[in-house]
Amino acid sequence: MNIATPATLDEWNAAGADYLPGLLGICFIKVELDEVVATLEVRRALGAWNGYLHAGTVTSLADTCCGYGTVRNLPAGASGFTTMELKNNLLGTAREGTVTCTARPVHRGRTTQVWDAEVRRDSDNALIATFRNTQLILWPKG
């Protein structure tokens, strides 16, 4: 089964609506070959008990952006992808407002893609996380 590539921004947002991106409230504002941008409203349910945005939320936002970029860049005939490796540096956090993730490709090969992403607080543009994400490209059997 091949993964379908959405054609419009509304379709990109709808694709994840019933999955983790929808549960988290990730909203894609750009899904292009060379850049993916999404926002996330900080709310209590996405935080840790100490009141700060949970590291898992930030990681999921970045991984999702890199994943959507991978789908947008899948080679012809590929059936999908899976995350092989994710490295993150959490440099800050947020208690309220919105955060924005921007992901860009570093390598787009036939067997792997590598993406870098940054997550920033919208209120002051502070960098709160950096990511390097490696995706394995999946091919149909046979």
Side-chain angles (χ1 to χ4, degrees), residues 26-109:
I26 297 172
C27 179
F28 285 88
I29 56 176
K30 183 177 187 181
V31 183
E32 299 296 335
L33 292 172
D34 294 322
E35 187 175 68
V36 175
V37 181
T39 61
L40 179 71
E41 188 71 31
V42 177
R43 61 186 196 279
R44 182 183 177 127
L46 302 179
W49 62 267
N50 63 1
Y52 289 103
L53 188 60
H54 196 286
T57 301
V58 177
T59 301
S60 294
L61 172 62
D63 184 53
T64 301
C65 286
C66 294
Y68 278 41
T70 300
V71 170
R72 182 74 171 82
N73 284 276
L74 281 175
S79 61
F81 75 97
T82 190
T83 300
M84 287 176 56
E85 180 179 51
L86 176 85
K87 185 211 183 299
N88 55 7
N89 291 104
L90 300 164
L91 309 170
T93 191
R95 285 187 182 257
E96 60 186 16
T98 304
V99 295
T100 298
C101 180
T102 302
R104 293 184 180 96
V106 175
H107 165 75
R108 291 177 280 203

Side-chain angles (χ1 to χ4, degrees), residues 114-129:
V114 177
W115 287 75
D116 281 347
E118 292 185 346
V119 179
R120 293 182 176 272
R121 268 191 319 255
D122 287 2
S123 63
D124 59 1
N125 201 38
L127 181 65
I128 65 169

Side-chain angles (χ1 to χ4, degrees), residues 4-20:
T5 303
T8 67
L9 201 51
D10 285 341
E11 289 175 5
W12 282 103
N13 280 300
D18 292 335
Y19 301 94
L20 185 62

